[in-house]
């Protein structure tokens, strides 16, 4: 289903992340992405940047395949899904969504 905006997509995205372990794996993956990005920038090691999608998507997809039991939204809505990852991360960090 095509979405007219991210605002329309985000409720669907949250519905695909009802399992707490799946959300936790997303949070861990996103945190590791931020830490690796910071380390790569501080050390001047751009070669580490290829690991960002491996780590981020690796944790997220494990959450979907093994705990949520659904296909990641990334497969059909890559940009909105990436945006959703970071909005959900921020909301979890602020306590708006349960870990």
């Amino acid at each position: 289903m095509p979405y007219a905006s991210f605002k329309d997509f985000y409720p669907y995205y949250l519905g695909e992340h009802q399992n707490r372990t799946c959300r936790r794996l997303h949070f861990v993956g996103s945190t590791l992405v931020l830490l690796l990005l910071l380390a790569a920038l501080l050390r001047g090691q751009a070669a580490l940047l290829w690991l960002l999608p491996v780590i981020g998507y690796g944790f997220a997809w494990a959450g979907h395949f093994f705990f949520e039991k659904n296909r990641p939204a990334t497969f059909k809505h890559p940009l909105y899904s990436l945006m959703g990852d970071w909005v959900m991360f921020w909301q979890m960090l602020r306590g708006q969504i349960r870990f």
Side-chain angles (χ1 to χ4, degrees):
M1 172 178 177
Y3 292 93
S5 68
F6 177 73
K7 182 179 177 181
D8 293 337
F9 171 79
Y10 193 59
Y12 162 76
Y13 177 88
L14 289 178
E16 296 292 298
H17 295 86
Q18 295 181 31
N19 181 280
R20 282 181 78 185
T21 303
C22 180
R23 289 194 308 270
R24 288 174 178 172
L25 287 169
H26 273 70
F27 190 86
V28 168
S30 296
T31 301
L32 291 174
V33 161
L34 291 174
L35 291 172
L36 181 61
L37 178 61
L38 182 63
L41 293 173
L42 291 176
R43 294 180 179 185
Q45 295 179 329
L48 292 175
L49 297 178
W50 74 271
L51 289 170
L52 296 177
V54 173
I55 291 171
Y57 287 119
F59 277 86
W61 291 357
H64 285 283
F65 293 130
F66 298 115
F67 298 97
E68 194 74 55
K69 308 284 189 202
N70 63 14
R71 289 188 66 200
T74 304
F75 296 160
K76 290 190 177 184
H77 309 283
L79 180 59
Y80 281 165
S81 181
L82 180 62
M83 292 167 62
D85 288 342
W86 292 108
V87 171
M88 186 173 73
F89 175 82
W90 182 243
Q91 290 179 330
M92 290 174 74
L93 193 62
R94 292 177 37 210
Q96 294 174 304
I97 295 176
R98 271 184 70 184
F99 266 78

